[in-house]
Every structure is written in structure tokens, then in C-alpha cells.
Amino acid sequence: MINTPFLTLIYREVLRFIVLYKQTIMPGIISSGLYLVIFGHALGSRIGSINNIDYIHFIIPGLTMMAVINQSYANSSSSIMQAKYLKFIEDYLVAPVSGFELSMSFIIGAIFRGVINGILIILTCWMLTDFNVHNYSLSLFFLIITSCVFGAIGVIIGIISKSWDQVGVFGTFVFMPLSMLGGVFWSVDMLPKGWQFITILNPLYWMINGLRYSMIGISEIPIMFSIIISIIFAIIFTIIASVMFSRGYRIKS
Amino acid sequence: MDSMIQINNLKKTYSNGFNALKGININIEKGKFFGLLGPNGAGKTTTIGILTGLVNLTSGNVLIDGYDVIKDYKITRRMIGLSPQEINLDVFFTIKELLTFQGGYFGLSLSESKKRVEKLLYDLGLEDKVNAKARELSGGMKRRVQIAKALVHDPELIILDEPTAGVDIELRHLLWNSLKEMNIKQNKTLLLTTHYIEEAEALCDEVAIIDDGKIIAQGSPKELIKADGESYINITVNKINENILSDYNIDINENIIKITSKNPEKDIPNIINILSESNIAVRNLNVKTASLEDVFLKLTGKNIIDD
């Protein structure tokens, strides 16, 4: 049987960011293009290569991942915040759907936005440099699983936050440092030993490495670890988001 | 007759310790137009919230057409159309799109939902606003869309929380007519909360008065007025004789006698007889018949509108 309520919720989520493409799709492509030009072309020639890969190619997966993380998180967190702020979240809560279906509809919306952004950024990089994707299906897997993790985190933060500030604070003070320290622009070998240990504890490091392997064929860590750790994070955060919706934490009284 | 809503010993305590519902019981039969009246904070919106899934109950249970609102929520929620008190329209989409999604959330295919929406918008006089977004609409139009949201999936039970709050008289009567029509012609069950007691009197077959989390009276407006309502008969006379109407509850002010009566139709002829037998001429007579508002005031000690 087709689950029309669930499919409609997903359809609305996807259509929402497509309608707002100037805010949801264009900025990621433009900022990634700028990073590529400045860090890749202008500074990259002075850095040389990392693990025998040109610096400009080395940073493409990191840039892609940074955009995917930001966009998927922004999609679900802002969608929930707006629905809470304007109270139309009540339309979802009275619909005949489970907490799991509700959270999945926001997460799937975030996955679509993350993956579309990721693919368009990869295409932009492909046009600006001479790189080819090493493994397409594994790249798609990492785009999906990362969007899922951060879409779910967006749901959680969207539910918890009482103001837009709180949503923004999380992006600035948690995601930005984690993605910068997760190896977007450099290899973990380039860091002092103490920082290397801290980096390994950063979940983003594993995802960025996973995508880096899928896109350019090099990895500092076994790819299986990246896959398993990413899946575990996706499951954990999806469960937390679903439980919050089911129990109505901060959204039902 | 089958029950559409059965509320059994329903209690709700909020996390701050406030007891919003202290064990209420309500039974609403199918096809009834039921009004839930009460001052602000009495528990009306909490009750509706529990029925629809917006509020978690503390204890007791609620059945919709025999199905439990918690265990069988997917069945019960499809049966309900809710129009919340506060306007809550999705701002990203046009009126037609947001109503079409609304139908989809309740199981209509998008093509089916579109057809229903077109008809509804026409019925509600919004056909030229289909491509407008919520913020482009006037208050009255937003209210109509808000009610349309409750009706898109053609639910058996329509729940309206203060549907005519802030609506002009013309639109209020238009909405009354269409709600009444849904009740009579389509045999829908309607549950309404309202601040306008006149609205409850005009529309409802049965009302319950809720105050401080408890149901303090329930019945048809006529029954409640009969049981607790008091009419006032004001008679202007040419002279006063305080002893002649001693059987009645009277209040004399100069040459106006104010008589409190539970049954003015029966009392007026008797009073006229008594006065004419005593050669007292009646110069003017007017009756303020008991209303549900008086009953409300008497039972709750509160004026519903001031609250």
C-alpha cells in the first residue's frame, strides 16, 4: 500500500528547498567555486601535493563534504524551526503519520538537498579542474549517508532550539570547527601527534575521508571503517530524531 | 446511536504541575453538532489537543468511533479534520498548494486532493486567491483557508477551535451556514469551541460547559437554560403594592417591578391577572429571556468574553 501521507510530507520538504533554490542551492556552489579558486589555484601551487595528489584535487572532496553538511543540516533545522515558529508544525503532528515517518520525511528532504548540492559542486569542480571521480556509487553513498547524519542532527537541533540563534550557534560553533578540523584542507599526517588523536575522534573526519577515497581514490584510513562509522552515526541520530518526534519532546505539551 | 467521541475520565497535568483536565467524561454521538464552552484556561484546547494528537494525555482514554486515539492513531487522525484557533498557514506555498498537501497528509492522492481543493476554494469564495500566498490574504480569508484545511480530506469529525474568532459578522454567518449544512446534509459530526455563546446557541444540538478542568454541565442549550437559566420580566406600573406579588422573586425600583422567573411564558399571564385584580395598570412590559450566556455566568461565575 502506498503511504500517501509520508510521501506527501517528503514531497513538500523537497519542493520547499527547490522553490527557494537561490538560498538553498546557489550559495553552496558559489562558495565552493570560490574556495577552489582561492585555496586550490592560488594557494595550492605553493602547498604542492599531499600523498602524491595535487592539493587542488585533495580539497575537492572536503569542500563538497563541507557544503553537504551545511546544506543538509540547514534544510531540516530551518524547516522545523519555521514550522514551529509559524505553528504549522501542528499540521504534521495531527496527520496520521508516526514519529519515525515524520523525522524521516525531514531527513529525506535534507538528503535530497545535500546530495543535489554535492553533485552540483562536484560538477562545478569537474568543470574548473581536470579531475575524475574514482568511484561513483561509493561517492553517492557518502553524499547520502552524510546528508542523512546531518539531516537527522538538523531535526534534533530544530526540535530543541527555542530560537534561530540557537540553530545558528550550533552551525558556527560545532559544525564549522568540526569540518575544518576534520581534514577538509589538509591531511591528518600534517598535524602534531596530539591533534591527530583529537581528529580521529571527530566523526566528520571519517566521512570526509570516505568521500575523499570515493572521489580521488586515496584514504588515510581503511574505507570500511569510514563506511561502518558513518552508518552507525546515521542510525543513532535517526533514532534520536524519531524518538523526539514520537514523544513530542518540546513540540507537544 | 453510535458514539463518535467518547472521553473517559480524561486527565491532563502539564509539566509545570498545572492540572488542565481533572477527569472529564464526554460522549458525543455521531451526527451531532457539539459545543464545548468555557472560559480561557478551562481545558477546551487541551481536550481538543488530546483528541487530535497535539497534547499527550496523563490518564484516561479517548475513543473516536470506537478507536483509541493513542493505539489506533493512524485510523482516528484520518477521521478528524482540525481547524486550530491560531492561524497556522504554511508560508512557502500558495493556498492551493498548501491545501493540496494538507489533503495528502491525510491520505488523498495529490490529484484527488487538487480536485477537492478547487471545489472547497470555490465554496468558500476564495477561487480568485488560489495562487496567492498566505501573507497576501486578509484576516477573514486566512480564517477561511484555516477552516478549509480541516475539510480537505472530507473527515467524518470536524473539530473547530474558535472558528469565528476575529471574523466579521457577514463571514461569521456564512461560516455558520456552511457548518450547519455539513452537519445536516452530510451528517458530519462537529465539535466546536467558542467564545461566542450566541454561536453555540445557534449551531449546537448539545453543549458541555467546562470550567477549571471539569465538565460542570452538559445538555442541549434548551435543557441547560431550562435547568439553570433565569428570565427577567420588567413591568412598569402606575402604582406599587409590594405585597401582591409575594409569591414571586421581585425587585422594585420606583414604579418598575423586576421579576425573576424560570418560566416566563407561564408566569406572565398570572402576574397580569394579579395586577389587574388589584387595579394596577400595566404601562409597559418587557422580558429578557434566559440565554446560555446567563447559564454560563451562573455556573462558572465568569463572563466568557471578559476572560
Side-chain angles (χ1 to χ4, degrees):
Chain A
M1 199 180 111
I2 299 169
N3 188 342
T4 317
F6 180 49
L7 292 179
T8 310
L9 284 166
I10 295 172
Y11 180 58
R12 185 218 168 259
E13 272 303 291
V14 174
L15 205 59
R16 187 194 73 95
F17 79 77
I18 290 177
V19 169
L20 301 171
Y21 70 96
K22 284 179 198 158
Q23 294 169 41
T24 59
I25 296 173
M26 305 288 282
I29 298 167
I30 292 170
S31 60
S32 300
L34 289 172
Y35 271 119
L36 201 66
V37 170
I38 295 162
F39 286 90
H41 284 298
L43 300 176
S45 54
R46 290 166 190 244
I47 295 172
S49 62
I50 296 175
N51 298 336
N52 297 324
I53 298 283
D54 283 346
Y55 184 67
I56 193 163
H57 290 160
F58 185 84
I59 64 168
I60 289 171
L63 286 175
T64 309
M65 206 50 127
M66 211 160 76
V68 168
I69 289 164
N70 287 331
Q71 297 297 326
S72 52
Y73 169 73
N75 201 67
S76 49
S77 59
S78 62
S79 186
I80 290 179
M81 277 306 286
Q82 273 147 352
K84 271 173 35 172
Y85 185 66
L86 296 166
K87 294 195 182 260
F88 60 83
I89 198 159
E90 290 182 2
D91 294 345
Y92 308 146
L93 298 177
V94 302
V97 285
S98 64
F100 176 69
E101 288 166 329
L102 262 179
S103 68
M104 278 316 289
S105 66
F106 285 103
I107 293 170
I108 291 171
I111 291 175
F112 269 94
R113 177 158 156 195
V115 171
I116 288 174
N117 264 281
I119 290 172
L120 290 176
I121 288 163
I122 292 170
L123 276 174
T124 310
C125 295
W126 177 75
M127 285 189 287
L128 293 174
T129 67
D130 58 343
F131 103 106
N132 282 306
V133 173
H134 173 69
N135 184 331
Y136 284 99
S137 44
L138 204 55
S139 298
L140 184 63
F141 166 80
F142 274 104
L143 292 182
I144 292 174
I145 202 81
T146 308
S147 305
C148 176
V149 170
F150 289 91
I153 294 175
V155 170
I156 297 165
I157 302 300
I159 291 175
I160 292 174
S161 298
K162 289 181 177 165
S163 67
W164 287 99
D165 279 356
Q166 292 179 352
V167 174
V169 159
F170 205 82
T172 311
F173 292 103
V174 182
F175 289 162
M176 192 61 141
L178 280 184
S179 50
M180 286 292 181
L181 296 172
V184 171
F185 294 114
W186 37 264
S187 161
V188 72
D189 297 338
M190 297 159 91
L191 290 176
K193 277 266 180 289
W195 279 98
Q196 282 186 21
F197 176 71
I198 291 170
T199 301
I200 288 167
L201 295 178
N202 177 357
L204 287 184
Y205 170 72
W206 300 85
M207 294 176 205
I208 291 170
N209 258 285
L211 189 67
R212 183 163 287 141
Y213 171 80
S214 319
M215 285 174 68
I216 57 178
I218 59 151
S219 179
E220 294 163 1
I221 43 179
I223 186 68
M224 221 36 190
F225 280 173
S226 287
I227 295 174
I228 292 168
I229 288 174
S230 304
I231 291 175
I232 290 172
F233 274 115
I235 293 172
I236 290 172
F237 288 119
T238 303
I239 290 174
I240 296 173
S242 303
V243 169
M244 286 171 103
F245 258 121
S246 301
R247 299 207 173 151
Y249 178 75
R250 286 208 178 167
I251 43 178
K252 288 190 190 182
S253 37
Chain B
M1 219 180 197
D2 293 343
S3 287
M4 180 50 99
I5 304 178
Q6 253 183 295
I7 300 176
N8 302 312
N9 198 22
L10 186 62
K11 291 182 186 168
K12 171 67 189 176
T13 306
Y14 284 104
S15 52
N16 62 6
F18 175 65
N19 285 324
L21 296 176
K22 298 172 179 169
I24 65 164
N25 295 288
I26 301 176
N27 183 32
I28 303 174
E29 289 170 359
K30 280 186 184 171
K32 286 270 180 195
F33 203 132
F34 194 93
L36 194 56
L37 305 178
N40 282 346
K44 302 184 299 279
T45 301
T46 300
T47 308
I48 285 178
I50 292 171
L51 260 60
T52 52
L54 290 173
V55 177
N56 294 323
L57 58 80
T58 304
S59 68
N61 68 56
V62 180
L63 305 178
I64 307 283
D65 198 15
Y67 295 100
D68 188 281
V69 292
I70 294 173
K71 272 191 287 191
D72 310 311
Y73 71 95
K74 286 205 175 187
I75 302 173
T76 61
R77 290 188 198 170
R78 274 182 197 247
M79 284 192 262
I80 302 175
L82 170 71
S83 167
Q85 181 177 352
E86 258 183 270
I87 303 278
N88 63 342
L89 302 175
D90 193 334
V91 291
F92 294 104
F93 299 101
T94 64
I95 299 309
K96 189 174 173 185
E97 285 169 334
L98 77 88
L99 287 172
T100 306
F101 290 148
Q102 189 74 19
Y105 300 155
F106 287 86
L108 295 188
S109 70
L110 289 182
S111 59
E112 213 179 326
S113 189
K114 263 184 200 152
K115 274 189 212 156
R116 284 271 310 158
V117 168
E118 277 163 17
K119 187 183 175 306
L120 259 178
L121 288 174
Y122 180 80
D123 290 348
L124 289 166
L126 290 167
E127 66 272 24
D128 55 343
K129 294 287 174 195
V130 285
N131 294 320
K133 289 191 176 170
R135 60 169 73 95
E136 297 161 31
L137 301 183
S138 68
M141 286 174 184
K142 282 184 191 157
R143 179 60 66 184
R144 276 183 266 182
V145 177
Q146 182 83 342
I147 291 175
K149 263 171 46 177
L151 308 176
V152 180
H153 61 291
D154 196 21
E156 281 311 301
L157 171 61
I158 300 160
I159 300 180
L160 306 148
D161 198 359
E162 303 276 358
T164 60
V167 158
D168 64 40
I169 294 173
E170 193 187 352
L171 178 58
R172 187 177 304 159
H173 284 276
L174 179 105
L175 290 174
W176 284 7
N177 288 340
S178 47
L179 296 177
K180 201 75 198 165
E181 197 175 293
M182 270 180 261
N183 177 238
I184 293 166
K185 289 195 182 159
Q186 300 173 35
N187 203 29
K188 304 283 184 196
T189 311
L190 285 99
L191 170 59
L192 166 102
T193 75
T194 182
H195 261 81
Y196 298 102
I197 300 207
E198 186 199 346
E199 185 163 275
E201 274 188 276
L203 296 173
C204 299
D205 309 313
E206 200 174 340
V207 297
I209 296 176
I210 182 168
D211 188 30
D212 194 23
K214 288 176 288 207
I215 301 289
I216 52 173
Q218 188 174 340
S220 73
K222 274 188 185 163
E223 282 167 1
L224 292 182
I225 291 166
K226 206 171 165 189
D228 286 297
E230 282 169 342
S231 299
Y232 300 100
I233 306 162
N234 291 304
I235 305 175
T236 312
V237 289
N238 63 339
K239 58 181 179 184
I240 294 284
N241 179 346
E242 287 183 16
N243 301 323
I244 55 168
L245 291 171
S246 54
D247 292 346
Y248 294 93
N249 178 6
I250 63 166
D251 186 21
I252 295 172
N253 184 6
E254 293 184 4
N255 59 342
I256 298 173
I257 311 170
K258 185 179 178 186
I259 301 144
T260 308
S261 163
K262 283 211 153 214
N263 192 349
E265 285 98 341
K266 194 180 132 212
D267 290 341
I268 290 170
N270 292 341
I271 291 167
I272 303 274
N273 274 341
I274 296 168
L275 292 174
S276 63
E277 278 166 16
S278 313
N279 288 324
I280 296 173
V282 174
R283 289 190 173 150
N284 190 9
L285 185 147
N286 66 60
V287 184
K288 186 185 168 293
T289 48
S291 67
L292 203 51
E293 185 135 19
D294 303 321
V295 175
F296 185 87
L297 189 62
K298 187 178 168 195
L299 292 175
T300 63
K302 292 164 194 162
N303 192 322
I304 197 165
I305 300 190
D306 292 344
D307 257 75

